[in-house]
Amino acid sequence: MGAHPVRRWLRSERPNVRADVVAGLPGAISNVPDGMAAAVLVGVNPIHGLYACFAGPIAGGLSSSTRLMVITTTTAAALAAGSALSGVDPANRPDALILLTLIAGVAMILAGIAKLGRYTRFVSHSVMIGFLTGISVNIFCGQISALTGAPASGGFPLAKAVDVITHPSRINIPSLLAGLAALGILAGLSRTRLAPVGALVALVVPTAVVIIAGADSVTRVEDVGEIPPGIPLPHVPDLSLLSFSLVTGALAVAAIVLVQGSGVAEAAPNRDGTVSNPNQDFIAQGVGNLAAGLFRGQPVGGSVGQTALNQAVGGRTRWAAICSGLWMLVILAAFSGVVGVVAMPTLAAVLIFAAVGSLRLGELKTIMRTGPTSQIAIVSTFLATLFLPIAAAVGLGVTLSLLLQLNQEAMDLKVVELKPAGDGRWIEHPAPKQLSSHQTIVLDVYGSLLYAGSRTLGARLPDPAGAEAPAVVLRLRGRTSVGATFVKVLADYAAALHAVGGRLYLSGVDHGLAELLRRTDRVDVSGPVTVVEASELVGESTEKALREAETWAVGHRTDTPDQ
């Protein structure tokens, strides 16, 4: 019985053998320089990036709901991992990296199981662009030293770049020439049919020239660490390296990967029209990270560039991504020994070219023109990414997104007056600042009534002070849940009306909300507050509340002696 679901899955996910196998090869070839460069960002042997580039696409590709998504190394995840491991001894960094990758994978799987995919939309676009722009600038500045062969010191990438620029005598000319040659090749091939293999050519050609010229002063990959031959075997990390900073770093990596992955799903919709499930993609990226960590790789996630390449070269099903991982295994088995001779300035050139290419100048201009809220968001996140550890920048970005959301909801709240126009229709007018004596008024509210929104409501309701016996009908249709802040604001306004002999009517109230108000001790629904529950007919409860309020007002005027 257990085999039936597997057979059904295989039948539904039948590969287009010719298209997918062929599409996987360009992906694997382009992953060679990308994976090595990503490992450089982490500060480990480039082979760890190549290991991730075979494990991630295979394991993640088997379970993703976005079928063309390629789960592999990304620069943002690599930079976050490098930031988390910056305080780890270089000798222990590979094992710490594996542990971080596994923790990030577990966090992603748990996020998918908990169905947190819907919360990615709460990350402000301005915050995300500010973060990604900061990542690009960090990569650019951080690779200046490797590109020029000059030693650099500084607490963050920008400081290191300034240190190199202000000490030009340290620059190693052969390294600089090799790096500039790689940049020239990348730029020259970027608009041609050879663009998918441009990064590989940029590694091979300058490296060959360096070897032929005997430029021994140019740093090679093998100088960073020994390159193990062949295919990696599963490896269990040293659990004694577990630390609080490692865990927070892994969570930062998970957050970055998940938000980026949701963007990949939007850019690569399924060909058969089925909608991607963000929670399933969370789990797929988590599985990819568990596989990458098990085989000594670094963090992986949905890659925008690799997924776009997968589409461009004709990938048809999830098997195109899986085949790219299988082709990477072939490359590792046949050519892992060659990796060690690659010139490090060429890897720096690949990273710099990718960083410049990922800058979204058009979106930056648009965001800067949309107002102070967006400007504050993008500038704050950008500066945090430049000068703070990535985990702190991610935390700040998430917090800032939530604060902007709450602030926007509070600022957008609007109170209007409704006047009956007959036949169940209403005319909308600006709400008055003050209530008038013996006046009956109907108010409606636009915007969120949670947290700050409730306080904004309290500030924008017409003031009863100075009026005599006013009646207010507050329309609450569609408000299915409220918080304690709203209840307090409602109680305070009802008390203010009661103090001048007035009364509050709540119309269109959901039954559950009505029960909540009746249970609370703050709102006296048997005294100065009348609750009229919503009916299926829109506007019926408001008309009923208005009639009751007018009847009460007439009786109150009759009972009140002339002054």
Side-chain angles (χ1 to χ4, degrees):
M1 294 294 291
H4 293 330
V6 175
R7 284 202 297 267
R8 285 198 298 270
W9 182 85
L10 289 173
R11 282 197 296 269
S12 66
E13 301 290 345
R14 186 171 298 165
N16 184 321
V17 177
R18 181 177 179 182
D20 292 335
V21 172
V22 172
L25 182 57
I29 292 173
S30 64
N31 254 333
V32 171
D34 289 351
M36 295 172 64
V40 169
L41 287 179
V42 180
V44 295
N45 191 315
I47 200 68
H48 294 287
L50 297 180
Y51 291 163
C53 288
F54 96 78
I58 294 175
L62 286 169
S63 53
S64 63
S65 72
T66 306
R67 295 185 180 90
L68 292 182
M69 178 189 285
V70 181
I71 297 174
T72 186
T73 55
T74 69
T75 53
L79 200 62
S83 175
L85 300 175
S86 60
V88 178
D89 185 271
N92 295 327
R93 194 168 293 171
D95 266 343
L97 172 64
I98 295 168
L99 193 56
L100 179 143
T101 305
L102 293 172
I103 295 171
V106 171
M108 293 177 206
I109 292 173
L110 292 176
I113 294 173
K115 301 186 183 303
L116 300 183
R118 63 184 181 275
Y119 292 111
T120 57
R121 67 179 183 269
F122 288 102
V123 178
S124 160
H125 181 63
S126 301
V127 166
M128 196 62 197
I129 293 299
F131 176 73
L132 293 177
T133 303
I135 289 287
S136 297
V137 173
N138 272 344
I139 292 171
F140 181 92
C141 294
Q143 295 306 307
I144 295 295
S145 174
L147 183 80
T148 60
S153 60
F156 46 90
L158 180 59
K160 293 179 180 178
V162 171
D163 187 54
V164 172
I165 294 170
T166 54
H167 298 87
S169 60
R170 300 177 185 171
I171 294 174
N172 180 274
I173 299 302
S175 296
L176 178 61
L177 292 176
L180 292 178
L183 283 173
I185 292 170
L186 286 165
L189 296 181
S190 63
R191 298 184 181 276
T192 71
R193 296 176 61 183
L194 294 176
V197 296
L200 187 63
V201 176
L203 295 188
V204 172
V205 174
T207 295
V209 173
V210 166
I211 294 172
I212 293 171
D216 295 332
S217 62
V218 178
T219 304
R220 316 281 178 88
V221 168
E222 60 192 5
D223 296 330
V224 178
E226 182 182 356
I227 305 297
I231 298 171
L233 296 176
H235 176 75
V236 178
D238 183 0
L239 296 179
S240 66
L241 296 173
L242 187 64
S243 65
F244 178 76
S245 61
L246 196 70
V247 173
T248 56
L251 294 178
V253 169
I256 293 167
V257 166
L258 296 179
V259 173
Q260 281 193 317
S262 64
V264 173
E266 293 178 6
N270 292 326
R271 293 178 180 273
D272 62 0
T274 57
V275 179
S276 296
N277 182 342
N279 299 309
Q280 183 60 41
D281 286 341
F282 277 17
I283 293 173
Q285 291 173 95
V287 171
N289 276 276
L290 289 182
L294 185 63
F295 286 95
R296 294 184 287 166
Q298 65 187 75
V300 294
S303 169
V304 176
Q306 286 296 320
T307 303
L309 175 61
N310 193 22
Q311 290 178 299
V313 297
R316 292 290 180 268
T317 71
R318 67 174 69 252
W319 293 97
I322 295 169
C323 286
S324 73
L326 295 173
W327 277 117
M328 179 60 73
L329 271 179
V330 174
I331 292 171
L332 281 170
F335 302 107
S336 59
V338 180
V339 172
V341 301
V342 173
M344 290 296 290
T346 62
L347 285 175
V350 169
L351 285 167
I352 288 174
F353 188 79
V356 173
S358 65
L359 289 172
R360 306 179 188 180
L361 298 180
E363 292 194 41
L364 287 171
K365 291 179 181 178
T366 301
I367 291 171
M368 293 302 291
R369 292 172 179 170
T370 53
T373 300
S374 297
Q375 292 167 358
I376 292 171
I378 193 170
V379 171
S380 300
T381 312
F382 173 72
L383 293 177
T385 308
L386 283 187
F387 299 112
L388 297 176
I390 296 297
V394 170
L396 178 65
V398 171
T399 302
L400 189 58
S401 291
L402 294 175
L403 290 175
L404 289 173
Q405 173 81 11
L406 293 174
N407 178 69
Q408 194 64 39
E409 288 181 351
M411 295 301 294
D412 285 347
L413 188 132
K414 182 181 179 182
V415 179
V416 297
E417 179 183 2
L418 299 180
K419 294 185 177 180
D423 298 327
R425 295 178 297 171
W426 300 84
I427 300 174
E428 187 177 286
H429 295 275
K433 300 290 185 183
Q434 299 280 140
L435 292 178
S436 301
S437 296
H438 306 292
Q439 178 189 34
T440 300
I441 186 173
V442 179
L443 301 175
D444 200 1
V445 182
Y446 297 120
S448 171
L449 293 180
L450 294 176
Y451 310 118
S454 294
R455 297 189 183 279
T456 304
L457 172 66
R460 294 184 180 176
L461 286 171
D463 188 359
E468 187 176 309
V472 175
V473 177
L474 182 61
R475 188 171 183 267
L476 295 176
R477 188 176 185 90
R479 310 288 177 173
T480 57
S481 62
V482 295
T485 305
F486 173 75
V487 173
K488 181 181 185 303
V489 167
L490 205 61
D492 290 347
Y493 193 63
L497 284 169
H498 184 63
V500 295
R503 191 170 183 83
L504 177 63
Y505 293 80
L506 304 177
S507 72
V509 180
D510 177 81
H511 179 71
L513 178 56
E515 290 298 318
L516 184 149
L517 293 174
R518 291 186 180 105
R519 288 195 306 269
T520 180
D521 295 331
R522 299 300 305 273
V523 181
D524 184 5
V525 296
S526 62
V529 179
T530 299
V531 174
V532 182
E533 293 191 23
S535 66
E536 293 182 355
L537 185 61
V538 177
E540 183 179 44
S541 64
T542 299
E543 290 183 349
K544 179 180 178 182
L546 178 59
R547 288 195 301 270
E548 290 186 16
E550 289 177 335
T551 300
W552 173 86
V554 169
H556 192 80
R557 283 197 295 270
T558 302
D559 295 339
T560 303
D562 294 334
Q563 300 295 321

